[in-house]
Amino acid sequence: MNQHEAWMAFAYKEAEKAYEKNEIPVGAVIVFENRIVGRGHNQIEMLQDPTAHAEMIAITSAVATVGSKWLTGATLYVTLEPCTMCAGAIVLSRLSTVVYGAQDLKTGACSSLYNIVQDERLNHRVELVTGIMETKCSEILKDFFSKLRQKNNRMN
């Protein structure tokens, strides 16, 4: 197991927490100086907050831990490619690297639909590493949505 896979395993554990709470199973951790300084998993339904994405919660946690609004030198590990909102927060927080598992072809903003984090018009750009534990990260999402569809079909 390489270093990225080792850290992504922690993000995956966060995704499992979301799954157990009937949230879309996305998890994130932020690593700075070889330790986790922020964690998060989706809490949109629980908090009734459309901004309660795993990445946003992890960023809030990390800046509180390091005591700075800047996360320069830190790496975000997230199981699903960040959306436009999260990509904006990644740029604004000055994260150095984003490592993600599964691509999000519908709303991904770090290479699939858009690439906000590397847009040369912005004042900060982020290194990207993609496809880490991609199959495992995709499977938990597919399983979640399959069960959700089955539940919805039973209710109709």
mmCIF file of all heavy atoms in Angstrom, residues 23-48:
data_model
loop_
_atom_site.group_PDB
_atom_site.id
_atom_site.type_symbol
_atom_site.label_atom_id
_atom_site.label_comp_id
_atom_site.label_asym_id
_atom_site.label_seq_id
_atom_site.Cartn_x
_atom_site.Cartn_y
_atom_site.Cartn_z
ATOM 1 N N GLU A 23 -26.352 8.969 4.745
ATOM 2 C CA GLU A 23 -25.855 10.120 3.991
ATOM 3 C C GLU A 23 -25.122 9.580 2.770
ATOM 4 O O GLU A 23 -24.601 8.461 2.802
ATOM 5 C CB GLU A 23 -24.866 10.930 4.834
ATOM 6 C CG GLU A 23 -25.441 11.563 6.069
ATOM 7 C CD GLU A 23 -26.140 12.895 5.807
ATOM 8 O OE1 GLU A 23 -26.142 13.379 4.650
ATOM 9 O OE2 GLU A 23 -26.683 13.447 6.776
ATOM 10 N N ILE A 24 -25.045 10.366 1.711
ATOM 11 C CA ILE A 24 -24.243 9.957 0.559
ATOM 12 C C ILE A 24 -22.827 9.709 1.081
ATOM 13 O O ILE A 24 -22.234 10.584 1.718
ATOM 14 C CB ILE A 24 -24.265 11.017 -0.551
ATOM 15 C CG1 ILE A 24 -25.687 11.155 -1.098
ATOM 16 C CG2 ILE A 24 -23.286 10.653 -1.671
ATOM 17 C CD1 ILE A 24 -25.880 12.299 -2.080
ATOM 18 N N PRO A 25 -22.298 8.498 0.853
ATOM 19 C CA PRO A 25 -21.042 8.101 1.500
ATOM 20 C C PRO A 25 -19.789 8.712 0.875
ATOM 21 O O PRO A 25 -19.122 8.119 0.038
ATOM 22 C CB PRO A 25 -21.048 6.582 1.369
ATOM 23 C CG PRO A 25 -21.849 6.319 0.148
ATOM 24 C CD PRO A 25 -22.891 7.395 0.097
ATOM 25 N N VAL A 26 -19.508 9.928 1.319
ATOM 26 C CA VAL A 26 -18.283 10.619 0.928
ATOM 27 C C VAL A 26 -17.548 10.963 2.211
ATOM 28 O O VAL A 26 -18.153 11.456 3.164
ATOM 29 C CB VAL A 26 -18.576 11.886 0.114
ATOM 30 C CG1 VAL A 26 -17.277 12.625 -0.226
ATOM 31 C CG2 VAL A 26 -19.348 11.551 -1.159
ATOM 32 N N GLY A 27 -16.252 10.688 2.219
ATOM 33 C CA GLY A 27 -15.431 10.988 3.380
ATOM 34 C C GLY A 27 -14.172 11.725 2.983
ATOM 35 O O GLY A 27 -13.705 11.610 1.841
ATOM 36 N N ALA A 28 -13.628 12.484 3.930
ATOM 37 C CA ALA A 28 -12.429 13.278 3.659
ATOM 38 C C ALA A 28 -11.567 13.389 4.904
ATOM 39 O O ALA A 28 -12.086 13.413 6.023
ATOM 40 C CB ALA A 28 -12.829 14.680 3.190
ATOM 41 N N VAL A 29 -10.270 13.450 4.681
ATOM 42 C CA VAL A 29 -9.319 13.800 5.742
ATOM 43 C C VAL A 29 -8.304 14.775 5.145
ATOM 44 O O VAL A 29 -8.031 14.756 3.947
ATOM 45 C CB VAL A 29 -8.573 12.577 6.341
ATOM 46 C CG1 VAL A 29 -9.547 11.633 7.044
ATOM 47 C CG2 VAL A 29 -7.747 11.850 5.315
ATOM 48 N N ILE A 30 -7.774 15.620 6.013
ATOM 49 C CA ILE A 30 -6.718 16.551 5.605
ATOM 50 C C ILE A 30 -5.470 16.198 6.402
ATOM 51 O O ILE A 30 -5.512 16.077 7.637
ATOM 52 C CB ILE A 30 -7.134 18.013 5.812
ATOM 53 C CG1 ILE A 30 -8.319 18.327 4.880
ATOM 54 C CG2 ILE A 30 -5.949 18.953 5.552
ATOM 55 C CD1 ILE A 30 -8.883 19.718 5.026
ATOM 56 N N VAL A 31 -4.383 16.019 5.667
ATOM 57 C CA VAL A 31 -3.107 15.612 6.260
ATOM 58 C C VAL A 31 -2.123 16.779 6.151
ATOM 59 O O VAL A 31 -1.945 17.360 5.077
ATOM 60 C CB VAL A 31 -2.544 14.363 5.539
ATOM 61 C CG1 VAL A 31 -1.176 13.991 6.077
ATOM 62 C CG2 VAL A 31 -3.526 13.205 5.654
ATOM 63 N N PHE A 32 -1.503 17.112 7.276
ATOM 64 C CA PHE A 32 -0.496 18.166 7.333
ATOM 65 C C PHE A 32 0.633 17.674 8.219
ATOM 66 O O PHE A 32 0.395 17.200 9.335
ATOM 67 C CB PHE A 32 -1.107 19.456 7.894
ATOM 68 C CG PHE A 32 -0.151 20.602 7.987
ATOM 69 C CD1 PHE A 32 0.368 21.191 6.843
ATOM 70 C CD2 PHE A 32 0.235 21.100 9.219
ATOM 71 C CE1 PHE A 32 1.256 22.256 6.923
ATOM 72 C CE2 PHE A 32 1.119 22.166 9.313
ATOM 73 C CZ PHE A 32 1.624 22.741 8.156
ATOM 74 N N GLU A 33 1.846 17.769 7.719
ATOM 75 C CA GLU A 33 3.031 17.318 8.446
ATOM 76 C C GLU A 33 2.867 15.883 8.965
ATOM 77 O O GLU A 33 3.123 15.584 10.126
ATOM 78 C CB GLU A 33 3.381 18.299 9.570
ATOM 79 C CG GLU A 33 3.771 19.668 9.019
ATOM 80 C CD GLU A 33 4.108 20.693 10.080
ATOM 81 O OE1 GLU A 33 3.801 20.476 11.289
ATOM 82 O OE2 GLU A 33 4.679 21.733 9.702
ATOM 83 N N ASN A 34 2.370 15.048 8.069
ATOM 84 C CA ASN A 34 2.243 13.603 8.295
ATOM 85 C C ASN A 34 1.276 13.227 9.425
ATOM 86 O O ASN A 34 1.427 12.197 10.069
ATOM 87 C CB ASN A 34 3.614 12.970 8.532
ATOM 88 C CG ASN A 34 3.653 11.539 8.061
ATOM 89 O OD1 ASN A 34 2.989 11.180 7.091
ATOM 90 N ND2 ASN A 34 4.408 10.709 8.750
ATOM 91 N N ARG A 35 0.260 14.078 9.653
ATOM 92 C CA ARG A 35 -0.798 13.722 10.606
ATOM 93 C C ARG A 35 -2.126 14.289 10.122
ATOM 94 O O ARG A 35 -2.161 15.296 9.410
ATOM 95 C CB ARG A 35 -0.480 14.198 12.022
ATOM 96 C CG ARG A 35 -0.516 15.686 12.208
ATOM 97 C CD ARG A 35 -0.108 16.090 13.631
ATOM 98 N NE ARG A 35 -0.137 17.533 13.765
ATOM 99 C CZ ARG A 35 -1.085 18.209 14.401
ATOM 100 N NH1 ARG A 35 -2.095 17.593 14.972
ATOM 101 N NH2 ARG A 35 -1.026 19.531 14.469
ATOM 102 N N ILE A 36 -3.188 13.635 10.520
ATOM 103 C CA ILE A 36 -4.533 14.093 10.144
ATOM 104 C C ILE A 36 -4.901 15.270 11.033
ATOM 105 O O ILE A 36 -4.894 15.164 12.261
ATOM 106 C CB ILE A 36 -5.562 12.949 10.279
ATOM 107 C CG1 ILE A 36 -5.249 11.851 9.258
ATOM 108 C CG2 ILE A 36 -6.979 13.493 10.084
ATOM 109 C CD1 ILE A 36 -6.119 10.614 9.382
ATOM 110 N N VAL A 37 -5.207 16.398 10.390
ATOM 111 C CA VAL A 37 -5.584 17.610 11.123
ATOM 112 C C VAL A 37 -7.063 17.951 10.952
ATOM 113 O O VAL A 37 -7.584 18.831 11.634
ATOM 114 C CB VAL A 37 -4.703 18.817 10.729
ATOM 115 C CG1 VAL A 37 -3.256 18.589 11.151
ATOM 116 C CG2 VAL A 37 -4.802 19.123 9.239
ATOM 117 N N GLY A 38 -7.727 17.270 10.013
ATOM 118 C CA GLY A 38 -9.153 17.506 9.793
ATOM 119 C C GLY A 38 -9.814 16.274 9.223
ATOM 120 O O GLY A 38 -9.198 15.545 8.442
ATOM 121 N N ARG A 39 -11.053 16.041 9.626
ATOM 122 C CA ARG A 39 -11.838 14.909 9.133
ATOM 123 C C ARG A 39 -13.246 15.395 8.835
ATOM 124 O O ARG A 39 -13.721 16.335 9.469
ATOM 125 C CB ARG A 39 -11.992 13.823 10.198
ATOM 126 C CG ARG A 39 -10.750 13.181 10.678
ATOM 127 C CD ARG A 39 -11.068 12.213 11.838
ATOM 128 N NE ARG A 39 -9.862 11.666 12.398
ATOM 129 C CZ ARG A 39 -9.293 10.548 11.977
ATOM 130 N NH1 ARG A 39 -9.843 9.853 11.018
ATOM 131 N NH2 ARG A 39 -8.180 10.125 12.526
ATOM 132 N N GLY A 40 -13.888 14.688 7.919
ATOM 133 C CA GLY A 40 -15.290 15.004 7.671
ATOM 134 C C GLY A 40 -15.950 13.938 6.830
ATOM 135 O O GLY A 40 -15.287 13.210 6.093
ATOM 136 N N HIS A 41 -17.245 13.843 6.983
ATOM 137 C CA HIS A 41 -18.066 13.020 6.098
ATOM 138 C C HIS A 41 -19.359 13.775 5.854
ATOM 139 O O HIS A 41 -19.707 14.692 6.610
ATOM 140 C CB HIS A 41 -18.318 11.625 6.694
ATOM 141 C CG HIS A 41 -18.958 11.626 8.032
ATOM 142 N ND1 HIS A 41 -18.213 11.696 9.194
ATOM 143 C CD2 HIS A 41 -20.252 11.594 8.413
ATOM 144 C CE1 HIS A 41 -19.036 11.682 10.233
ATOM 145 N NE2 HIS A 41 -20.286 11.636 9.786
ATOM 146 N N ASN A 42 -20.042 13.425 4.782
ATOM 147 C CA ASN A 42 -21.267 14.134 4.448
ATOM 148 C C ASN A 42 -22.238 14.110 5.616
ATOM 149 O O ASN A 42 -22.459 13.068 6.232
ATOM 150 C CB ASN A 42 -21.926 13.506 3.218
ATOM 151 C CG ASN A 42 -21.349 14.020 1.927
ATOM 152 O OD1 ASN A 42 -20.442 14.841 1.915
ATOM 153 N ND2 ASN A 42 -21.876 13.554 0.817
ATOM 154 N N GLN A 43 -22.823 15.269 5.893
ATOM 155 C CA GLN A 43 -23.824 15.410 6.953
ATOM 156 C C GLN A 43 -24.977 16.284 6.484
ATOM 157 O O GLN A 43 -25.628 16.966 7.269
ATOM 158 C CB GLN A 43 -23.171 15.992 8.216
ATOM 159 C CG GLN A 43 -22.104 15.095 8.802
ATOM 160 C CD GLN A 43 -21.492 15.678 10.050
ATOM 161 O OE1 GLN A 43 -22.189 16.222 10.907
ATOM 162 N NE2 GLN A 43 -20.181 15.571 10.158
ATOM 163 N N ILE A 44 -25.224 16.266 5.192
ATOM 164 C CA ILE A 44 -26.232 17.135 4.578
ATOM 165 C C ILE A 44 -27.620 16.863 5.131
ATOM 166 O O ILE A 44 -28.349 17.789 5.499
ATOM 167 C CB ILE A 44 -26.195 16.954 3.045
ATOM 168 C CG1 ILE A 44 -24.828 17.391 2.516
ATOM 169 C CG2 ILE A 44 -27.322 17.722 2.367
ATOM 170 C CD1 ILE A 44 -24.480 16.831 1.161
ATOM 171 N N GLU A 45 -28.014 15.597 5.174
ATOM 172 C CA GLU A 45 -29.351 15.245 5.655
ATOM 173 C C GLU A 45 -29.482 15.492 7.154
ATOM 174 O O GLU A 45 -30.467 16.064 7.615
ATOM 175 C CB GLU A 45 -29.678 13.780 5.324
ATOM 176 C CG GLU A 45 -29.673 13.465 3.840
ATOM 177 C CD GLU A 45 -30.644 14.317 3.034
ATOM 178 O OE1 GLU A 45 -31.740 14.635 3.537
ATOM 179 O OE2 GLU A 45 -30.305 14.664 1.886
ATOM 180 N N MET A 46 -28.487 15.073 7.901
ATOM 181 C CA MET A 46 -28.536 15.216 9.353
ATOM 182 C C MET A 46 -28.649 16.685 9.768
ATOM 183 O O MET A 46 -29.437 17.039 10.637
ATOM 184 C CB MET A 46 -27.296 14.583 9.981
ATOM 185 C CG MET A 46 -27.303 14.615 11.500
ATOM 186 S SD MET A 46 -25.851 13.839 12.214
ATOM 187 C CE MET A 46 -24.644 15.139 12.001
ATOM 188 N N LEU A 47 -27.854 17.536 9.139
ATOM 189 C CA LEU A 47 -27.834 18.952 9.491
ATOM 190 C C LEU A 47 -28.829 19.782 8.680
ATOM 191 O O LEU A 47 -29.017 20.962 8.974
ATOM 192 C CB LEU A 47 -26.420 19.518 9.304
ATOM 193 C CG LEU A 47 -25.329 18.884 10.170
ATOM 194 C CD1 LEU A 47 -23.959 19.461 9.803
ATOM 195 C CD2 LEU A 47 -25.625 19.086 11.649
ATOM 196 N N GLN A 48 -29.425 19.151 7.647
ATOM 197 C CA GLN A 48 -30.302 19.880 6.719
ATOM 198 C C GLN A 48 -29.581 21.122 6.189
ATOM 199 O O GLN A 48 -30.099 22.231 6.188
ATOM 200 C CB GLN A 48 -31.639 20.237 7.386
ATOM 201 C CG GLN A 48 -32.554 19.038 7.567
ATOM 202 C CD GLN A 48 -32.975 18.425 6.236
ATOM 203 O OE1 GLN A 48 -33.719 19.041 5.470
ATOM 204 N NE2 GLN A 48 -32.474 17.233 5.925
#
